[in-house]
Amino acid sequence: MYDTPYHAIDLTSRTVLVTGAAGFIGSHIAEYLLKYGAKVVAFDSLVTGLQSNIDLFLNHPNYTFVKGELTNLYDCERAMVGVDVICHQAALGSVPRSLKYPKATHESNVTGFLNILEAAKTHSIKRVVYASSSSVYGDSKGLPKVESSIGQPLSPYAVSKYSDELYANVYNSAYEMELIGLRYFNVFGPRQNPEGEYAAVIPLFMKSLLANQSPYINGDGEQTRDFTFVENAVQANIKALFTTNPAAFGEAYNVAFGARVSLNHLVDQLKVLTNTNVNAIHREPRQGDIKDSLADISKAKELIGYQPLFNIDVGLKITLKWFEENQEILGL
């Protein structure tokens, strides 16, 4: 992965703080940056992130790990010494978890984000690229989703991510910082954790099918998603981190492929790829879930040069190969 460079400058003199570096997306961003010579300061509490995602790079001379809490301003500040730009991926994810733990979601995702912004301002770090979410579209029925038109949020997680966007807009204008938000649409790929009650759907489906077990689908399975291979998400982060386009700042962008598939079709694809023939088991729909999701990615293409290279078919093959080669992670 990452054979295509998504940057146009020399990264060997750049130091990037990656928060949530023990997480799925954060670890991939760190991987890209290290491959192309940047220095990475990895920041994580290891509450939901995996030590294994830190261990991948601990012996790399350009990698420094700082353990800390987003909710502790001092921890955020000590991670920023010598940093040029910030890639903020750390958050308490999952719509269902936020419905169960709304206060914890707010503290991590809103108070934590505000701490990152304050610490960045204190250390005169202007550029902060942060992870938002397609969940901000809430009950909006229109397709494809366009950044300028959102609905009412359906979960505390959605509220927290939209709050981040509002804070980012204020810091961008009031303090002359350079804030860019990325609204992820169902990112998947190697190293995505299939364990726990808040695991994402693709690793859950892969784990079940590789074990020749029926995967569970919440609802009738006709809900659609714009699944986004992780390298596309990394590309968006890299281009946002190093863009020289002043019109790109103070904006939030859809990060997706720009196509959608139903969960039923996804299971059928994976059954072919895994050579299994078990049937999915349907359960009650999950509270807070949206029915359909499809992104308009023209704004990201125009302002930060985003051009996703991996469709879902290619992404699934790469991801499945990784899971097959790392079956101990699946407990198989």
Side-chain angles (χ1 to χ4, degrees):
M1 294 177 65
Y2 310 119
D3 293 332
T4 300
Y6 302 120
H7 59 282
I9 63 170
D10 180 11
L11 297 187
T12 58
S13 62
R14 302 299 180 100
T15 299
V16 183
L17 172 63
V18 180
T19 73
F24 161 51
I25 299 175
S27 70
H28 277 274
I29 293 169
E31 180 181 349
Y32 178 96
L33 291 167
L34 292 170
K35 179 170 183 173
Y36 288 99
K39 294 180 177 64
V40 172
V41 177
F43 181 79
D44 207 290
S45 66
L46 295 175
V47 172
T48 58
L50 300 177
Q51 180 66 47
S52 59
N53 286 339
I54 298 298
D55 293 341
L56 284 170
F57 313 113
L58 268 182
N59 293 327
H60 196 291
N62 282 0
Y63 188 82
T64 303
F65 175 56
V66 177
K67 186 176 181 180
E69 299 283 347
L70 282 177
T71 52
N72 185 318
L73 180 59
Y74 171 75
D75 285 351
C76 296
E77 288 186 344
R78 67 187 175 90
M80 295 192 184
V81 177
V83 165
D84 298 308
V85 294
I86 298 168
C87 186
H88 179 57
Q89 304 298 311
L92 196 61
S94 169
V95 164
R97 176 160 42 202
S98 76
L99 289 163
K100 191 173 183 179
Y101 304 109
K103 186 172 182 292
T105 298
H106 176 89
E107 289 172 349
S108 177
N109 298 0
V110 183
T111 302
F113 182 59
L114 190 57
N115 281 343
I116 291 293
L117 295 181
E118 277 295 286
K121 180 160 64 74
T122 298
H123 286 263
S124 300
I125 302 169
K126 294 177 67 68
R127 182 75 54 89
V128 181
V129 175
Y130 64 95
S132 185
S133 168
S134 60
S135 67
V136 302
Y137 289 104
D139 64 0
S140 171
K141 297 292 192 295
L143 291 178
K145 304 298 183 186
V146 179
E147 289 89 344
S148 59
S149 181
I150 63 174
Q152 291 297 314
L154 298 175
S155 68
Y157 178 71
V159 170
S160 74
K161 287 300 184 178
Y162 186 52
S163 297
D164 289 352
E165 293 187 6
L166 294 174
Y167 269 119
N169 287 339
V170 169
Y171 273 71
N172 192 86
S173 59
Y175 304 113
E176 297 184 342
M177 295 176 69
E178 298 171 348
L179 279 293
I180 294 177
L182 303 177
R183 293 178 181 170
Y184 294 148
F185 281 68
N186 297 91
V187 182
F188 73 97
R191 296 202 294 273
Q192 192 169 25
N193 190 357
E195 298 300 327
E197 60 180 312
Y198 304 119
V201 66
I202 285 181
L204 282 175
F205 286 176
M206 285 187 175
K207 179 179 179 179
S208 294
L209 292 171
L210 285 171
N212 201 34
Q213 297 173 349
S214 295
Y216 288 97
I217 295 178
N218 298 313
D220 63 9
E222 287 305 298
Q223 61 266 45
T224 59
R225 298 291 182 266
D226 194 338
F227 289 104
T228 309
F229 186 59
V230 67
E231 184 159 339
N232 295 330
V234 170
Q235 180 200 147
N237 276 276
I238 298 303
K239 290 194 170 179
L241 281 169
F242 303 112
T243 183
T244 57
N245 180 10
F249 307 137
E251 301 288 342
Y253 300 89
N254 291 337
V255 174
F257 187 75
R260 60 177 173 143
V261 299
S262 71
L263 296 192
N264 287 332
H265 182 71
L266 174 63
V267 168
D268 289 341
Q269 280 184 279
L270 289 172
K271 285 168 65 175
V272 172
L273 290 174
T274 57
N275 195 29
T276 53
N277 197 33
V278 295
N279 293 319
I281 298 173
H282 291 267
R283 301 186 293 198
E284 288 297 310
R286 198 169 63 172
Q287 183 184 3
D289 277 354
I290 60 174
K291 176 64 176 175
D292 296 296
S293 185
L294 173 65
D296 181 330
I297 57 175
S298 57
K299 180 179 176 181
K301 287 182 175 181
E302 178 185 355
L303 293 180
I304 63 172
Y306 174 62
Q307 293 287 345
L309 303 179
F310 297 85
N311 64 23
I312 187 172
D313 298 326
V314 173
L316 287 177
K317 290 175 183 177
I318 295 171
T319 305
L320 181 62
K321 183 175 186 292
W322 185 88
F323 275 110
E324 288 174 334
E325 293 172 351
N326 294 271
Q327 291 200 27
E328 70 279 1
I329 294 173
L330 304 178
L332 299 176

